[in-house]
Amino acid sequence: MSVILLTGYGTVESAVEAIRAGAFDFLTKPLIDQELEMAIQRALNQQEVLEENKNLKAQLDLRFGMENIIGHDHRMLKIFDMIDSIADTRATVLITGESGTGKSLIARAIHRRSSRRNKPFVEIACGALPETLLESELFGHVAGAFTGATGDKLGKFMQADGRHDLPRPRSARPAPACK
Ligand SMILES: Nc1ncnc2c1ncn2[C@@H]1O[C@H](COP(=O)(O)OP(=O)(O)OP(=O)(O)O)[C@@H](O)[C@H]1O
Ligand SMILES: [Mg+2]
């Protein structure tokens, strides 16, 4: 439930305290009708977005969770147990099997059950890349790092970490302001 606080004795301190305590908005009297209507509308919009987000997450769980992995065989049940026990560790996992046997499906299930679930799941076909390109795909590069590197490129590891741009090299950082 979104809380809109309405008071005749509003101070900046009480407004800050109310918002910190979780109030959606803080209005003071005398109130203009439109103001209240707008606050309510914004609160409703926010709830709609939150609700939508919850539904989308639930759909993702269903799509990439374990629920959609078919298999009753004892070997599959062992895999489900293994997914559960390793999902939230930092262990590196190697999933092997023939093409189309569900390796990607299991990798996604591990991601969905880990605390990294809100960060992107990044897939890369290493076998399809020449050895020389693999390094820059995984770790990224800055413009001019090698012939043909015209712009900065974010590596897959950084993408998976939720980064959007490359950290700037130390020398390019602005010097601290002098007093
Ligand atoms: N146990 C399973 N239950 C439900 N769907 C499955 C299962 N195994 C595979 N699939 C489906 O088969 C298709 C291929 O699976 P997936 O892409 O995970 O295979 P893969 O092992 O990663 O293949 P590749 O080696 O080619 O990357 C997908 O559509 C996936 O949903
Ligand atoms: Mg795959």
Side-chain angles (χ1 to χ4, degrees):
M1 188 189 294
S2 299
V3 175
I4 298 172
L5 221 81
L6 183 58
T7 175
Y9 306 95
T11 59
V12 174
E13 290 76 34
S14 56
V16 169
E17 201 185 330
I19 301 291
R20 276 205 187 129
F24 177 76
D25 210 343
F26 185 92
L27 303 174
T28 47
K29 295 180 191 173
L31 193 71
I32 308 162
D33 276 356
Q34 265 176 338
E35 230 176 16
L36 182 60
E37 215 177 296
M38 271 164 59
I40 293 172
Q41 197 55 54
R42 280 192 293 116
L44 289 176
N45 287 348
Q46 192 209 37
Q47 284 196 348
E48 214 171 282
V49 171
L50 290 177
E51 193 62 30
E52 200 176 32
N53 192 283
K54 222 167 83 184
N55 288 338
L56 286 173
K57 277 193 175 158
Q59 279 180 33
L60 273 179
D61 277 344
L62 213 64
R63 172 115 173 69
F64 297 120
M66 286 212 274
E67 297 79 357
N68 66 336
I69 307 179
I70 303 163
H72 303 287
D73 184 87
H74 72 277
R75 283 168 298 188
M76 280 306 278
L77 298 181
K78 216 170 139 192
I79 290 175
F80 293 149
D81 276 347
M82 216 186 279
I83 292 174
D84 253 341
S85 57
I86 55 148
D88 212 11
T89 69
R90 289 175 60 85
T92 304
V93 183
L94 177 68
I95 308 164
T96 58
E98 284 177 35
S99 180
T101 48
K103 299 186 296 294
S104 298
L105 207 64
I106 285 168
R108 281 182 185 277
I110 293 172
H111 181 251
R112 290 303 303 168
R113 295 179 100 74
S114 76
S115 53
R116 301 170 294 268
R117 53 187 289 140
N118 290 322
K119 295 200 172 175
F121 176 85
V122 179
E123 211 170 344
I124 177 172
C126 299
L129 288 169
E131 206 176 320
T132 44
L133 265 185
L134 185 64
E135 191 176 61
S136 88
E137 278 293 317
L138 292 177
F139 301 104
H141 60 248
V142 290
F146 51 84
T147 316
T150 48
D152 290 355
K153 185 180 163 66
L154 202 64
K156 299 284 182 201
F157 285 120
M158 282 187 183
Q159 274 178 35
D161 201 32
R163 307 263 200 97
H164 297 290
D165 38 41
L166 284 173
R168 285 198 289 164
R170 213 164 251 287
S171 57
R173 279 185 197 146
C178 297
K179 281 189 184 158

